Amino acid sequence: MRSSLLLLAVPTLLVACKVDNSLNKNTDAPAVFDTGDSYQPPVDTAHDSPVDSVDTTQPPSCDDRSFPAIAIPQLEECYSEGTTVGSFTPVIEWANSDPGDTYTTPVVGQLTDDNGNGRIDDGDTPDIVVANTAGVLWAISGDGTTLWHTGSLGSEPMTAAIGDLDGDGFAEVVGSGASGTMAVYGDGTTYWTSSQNGSACGAVGIADLDGDGDPEVLLGAKILNGQSGGLLATGAYGTGSGYGSSAVSTFGVAADIDRDGIQEVVVGNALYDIDGNTLWTNGKSDGFVAVGDFDGDPQGEIVVSNTGSVRLQDDDGTVLWTGSYTGTTSGPPTVADFDGDGEPEIGVAGHNSYVVIDTDGSVLWTRAVSDGSSGFTGSSVFDFEGDGIAEVVYADENDVYVLDGPTGAIKLQEGTHSSATCSEYPAVADVDGDGHAEIIYTSSSYSGPEKGVRVIGDADDSWQPGRKVWNEHAYSITNVEDDATIPVSPDANWDSYNNFRSGDLIPGGGGYAGPDLYPYLHAVCVDECESGNVTLWYSLGNQGYNDLDEAVNVEFWGETSSGRVLLGSETWTAALPAGTRSQAESVELTGVPSLLLDIIVEVDGGDDSTAGVISECHEDNNTAAWGDVVCY
């Protein structure tokens, strides 16, 4: 016998972000549904009387019903902690004082064929290169062993860069300073030298600007031939310096800002091509730069930091906003999703503070620091625990910090550090090949006795995987391949990662950085089971801390005597703000089996995290079942 009554909603209870489909629990029971109780199904008398009768009674239709949107509690762990994968138990893994006083950013890449198989691969141990304050390049294996040192670049040289310049599959190192520029092979022997000088406290860049397979070397506004060191061109306006002098702390950043397939050299107030031609200049002050997507169009936007001010420029140089944040000095900016809202923010340091600036130019948070010397250090970003919450890695004159991305709270303050500070920052990479990221930083005897290079790892070996390469100060993930070869036509980093000077390979993955969706099944109308039709009303809830603004798939499954069958699906396209459950949507399912033991609603692939496309705080609460026989 088939029931002709409309089953009332079987409520569900959300406990610790998991749907409980038991039948006797209800936290917010829906309104009682008017089923038309006066209706009685016709009685089959075929076996009682030979007289045929015609049933003229019509069952009530499954009228539409309204279940309005409501506010729901948000899960605290989706904001503060998420689903932690690793612990945070930092420890100094090793220290090497051989380079002496050093305050350049350590760069990481594989220089040597350690396993002797004739190529660079995962079986080789990554290497670290620093330029000390005297202008000498030092290479140290990821296990802390000194490999070689060479060169005399002049005092306070640029941060070096690692990349395959000659296309032989093995990386070279380029260093530069006031005394000139040099490239060396992975074993420390000289490849070429050039009289073209770099600047104090700046950084070398490597990029294949014209996509011909032969990378160029960038020294601020200077563009050098990567195979000879010869000068190709010099830009006429800015040098990428936010110091206030075009000859100090210069940074040329390569990026395809206009998306024409060819990379440009980006400085604070101009854009140059490989020949040094000015593609545009906006007449503003020069500055340190970072690039990212802040408005959702294909082109890149440019963050410019200069003597305490920060501004955002469009791809044509138009200033979108500007503000003063860190006093009279500011360093190279970092771009990342610091607060997990799906939008990029900007981190920048000055003399006395580290500030995170929101997408629109407002201040997200400020942390007091101590940098009375240069006042223009940089920073990096990485999600060490894999909880979807970014951490900022920053070093001032006295300490190395790891700061919580959303709040600036101190997670690590390492005191075995001293620096007169230049534009350096700690890098993040898997330097020992153990499958987990480490923090690499340099020291000089200024506020304390520390010198050389130190590496911080996790005592529990639980930090997230990191790349074995961080090849230059202007690192942006897609600017270099894993083996330190330079891509001919790199993907725009903002398409995939939208960060800069960040090592996060899966930014915004889970935890704080996503919504938390669950389906709610309000009512099921079974009046038309005999015709193979069932109508149901469902809604979606979002108990995370981020809005759902992407399309998501919803599937309706039936439980039968022979297993589950897909009854239908639809795409949910409406925005779903955090802390709300939507108004109910009605769905008519046709062709349902005559014996339907249950109906299940799944959103975004159900409880299988690999089947979904939305990164959520919890992936195991995306299913709701009616919990009773529907048609029989």
Side-chain angles (χ1 to χ4, degrees):
M1 177 179 178
R2 293 185 176 89
S3 170
S4 63
L5 297 180
L6 178 68
L7 301 180
L8 297 183
V10 178
T12 59
L13 176 66
L14 294 175
V15 179
C17 210
K18 184 174 178 62
V19 174
D20 182 346
N21 291 309
S22 61
L23 303 181
N24 59 354
K25 297 177 181 179
N26 187 12
T27 56
D28 50 356
V32 176
F33 207 66
D34 179 6
T35 64
D37 291 336
S38 62
Y39 169 74
Q40 298 294 327
V43 178
D44 184 358
T45 61
H47 300 291
D48 300 331
S49 170
V51 179
D52 293 336
S53 62
V54 179
D55 174 32
T56 59
T57 307
Q58 297 297 319
S61 64
C62 293
D63 296 328
D64 200 9
R65 293 291 163 175
S66 175
F67 298 93
I70 63 171
I72 60 174
Q74 294 167 269
L75 297 180
E76 183 178 354
E77 67 265 25
C78 292
Y79 178 85
S80 59
E81 294 178 359
T83 307
T84 301
V85 175
S87 62
F88 197 80
T89 51
V91 62
I92 299 287
E93 291 191 345
W94 56 259
N96 186 325
S97 60
D98 288 351
D101 291 332
T102 306
Y103 45 66
T104 55
T105 300
V107 291
V108 180
Q110 184 56 51
L111 300 178
T112 55
D113 176 21
D114 298 322
N115 60 10
N117 65 357
R119 63 180 183 273
I120 299 299
D121 55 27
D122 284 342
D124 303 317
T125 302
D127 304 304
I128 301 166
V129 175
V130 297
N132 69 11
T133 58
V136 178
L137 292 172
W138 287 79
I140 301 171
S141 173
D143 62 9
T145 305
T146 298
L147 299 177
W148 48 259
H149 64 278
T150 188
S152 181
L153 304 172
S155 64
E156 295 191 317
M158 301 179 101
T159 289
I162 296 175
D164 181 6
L165 298 175
D166 55 9
D168 65 353
F170 291 84
E172 285 77 42
V173 177
V174 182
S176 185
S179 299
T181 303
M182 69 182 304
V184 299
Y185 294 109
D187 61 2
T189 57
T190 301
Y191 177 24
W192 53 255
T193 60
S194 171
S195 60
Q196 295 298 323
N197 62 297
S199 66
C201 293
V204 178
I206 301 176
D208 189 351
L209 294 177
D210 55 3
D212 66 352
D214 295 324
E216 286 73 44
V217 171
L218 310 182
L219 306 178
K222 294 180 181 180
I223 304 170
L224 274 57
N225 182 299
Q227 296 70 58
S228 67
L231 180 66
L232 297 177
T234 302
Y237 293 92
T239 61
S241 173
Y243 177 74
S245 168
S246 61
V248 177
S249 198
T250 61
F251 295 78
V253 172
D256 183 8
I257 293 294
D258 55 13
R259 302 307 292 270
D260 64 351
I262 301 295
Q263 295 185 89
E264 297 82 39
V265 178
V266 188
V267 295
N269 57 7
L271 201 66
Y272 307 130
D273 66 15
I274 189 173
D275 298 317
N277 298 314
T278 303
L279 302 179
W280 57 253
T281 182
N282 60 6
K284 303 297 181 180
S285 60
D286 194 14
F288 305 121
V289 301
V291 295
D293 177 15
F294 287 80
D295 60 8
D297 66 11
Q299 291 76 33
E301 284 72 57
I302 303 166
V303 181
V304 182
S305 169
N306 178 287
T307 58
S309 69
V310 177
R311 66 179 183 264
L312 181 66
Q313 298 177 168
D314 212 344
D315 58 284
D316 62 357
T318 301
V319 176
L320 302 176
W321 54 254
T322 187
S324 181
Y325 302 92
T326 58
T328 59
T329 61
S330 55
T334 295
V335 173
D337 183 3
F338 287 83
D339 63 358
D341 65 353
E343 301 293 334
E345 288 83 38
I346 302 159
V348 64
H351 272 312
N352 301 309
S353 63
Y354 185 94
V355 178
V356 172
I357 306 165
D358 217 338
T359 314
D360 60 0
S362 60
V363 174
L364 185 63
W365 55 261
T366 300
R367 165 64 59 183
V369 299
S370 178
D371 183 11
S373 45
S374 74
F376 56 86
T377 50
S379 62
S380 57
V381 170
F382 194 77
D383 175 9
F384 292 97
E385 297 149 291
D387 58 2
I389 307 171
E391 282 91 34
V392 181
V393 187
Y394 166 77
D396 63 12
E397 292 176 350
N398 307 309
D399 300 289
V400 175
Y401 293 92
V402 175
L403 306 175
D404 179 68
T407 66
I410 296 175
K411 300 187 69 170
L412 164 69
Q413 185 172 358
E414 174 56 56
T416 57
H417 171 64
S418 169
S419 180
T421 74
C422 218
S423 57
E424 84 278 11
Y425 63 87
V428 180
D430 180 5
V431 296
D432 54 10
D434 65 352
H436 305 283
E438 287 86 31
I439 299 169
I440 313 100
Y441 68 93
T442 57
S443 290
S444 59
S445 52
Y446 179 74
S447 58
E450 293 84 11
K451 299 180 181 181
V453 179
R454 280 175 169 77
V455 169
I456 300 174
D458 180 50
D460 297 327
D461 285 333
S462 69
W463 285 354
Q464 288 296 285
R467 294 181 80 192
K468 296 179 180 180
V469 61
W470 189 293
N471 75 313
E472 62 179 55
H473 194 291
Y475 174 76
S476 62
I477 299 180
T478 60
N479 73 297
V480 64
E481 304 291 353
D482 289 342
D483 60 359
T485 56
I486 305 301
V488 171
S489 181
D491 295 334
N493 187 69
W494 53 88
D495 282 349
S496 301
Y497 304 103
N498 206 16
N499 54 29
F500 198 87
R501 300 186 175 100
S502 169
D504 273 343
L505 298 176
I506 311 177
Y512 174 90
D516 187 54
L517 307 179
Y518 70 90
Y520 190 94
L521 193 50
H522 292 267
V524 177
C525 176
V526 298
D527 289 349
E528 299 177 3
C529 273
E530 196 166 272
S531 301
N533 300 330
V534 170
T535 300
L536 61 84
W537 286 261
Y538 81 98
S539 61
L540 294 186
N542 180 3
Q543 54 195 356
Y545 273 80
N546 282 345
D547 299 343
L548 173 69
D549 53 11
E550 301 178 59
V552 62
N553 192 47
V554 181
E555 294 180 334
F556 309 98
W557 292 83
E559 189 70 45
T560 71
S561 58
S562 58
R564 286 185 12 146
V565 295
L566 182 64
L567 303 177
S569 66
E570 66 180 26
T571 301
W572 182 282
T573 58
L576 185 61
T580 62
R581 194 181 72 195
S582 72
Q583 68 179 17
E585 299 289 332
S586 63
V587 176
E588 182 179 358
L589 303 174
T590 60
V592 301
S594 58
L595 179 60
L596 191 59
L597 302 176
D598 203 354
I599 283 183
I600 301 100
V601 182
E602 293 187 349
V603 59
D604 196 35
D607 294 344
D608 180 3
S609 61
T610 63
V613 298
I614 305 298
S615 179
E616 300 183 54
C617 171
H618 295 279
E619 300 281 0
D620 61 354
N621 63 337
N622 288 9
T623 300
W626 183 246
D628 201 1
V629 176
V630 177
C631 296
Y632 59 92

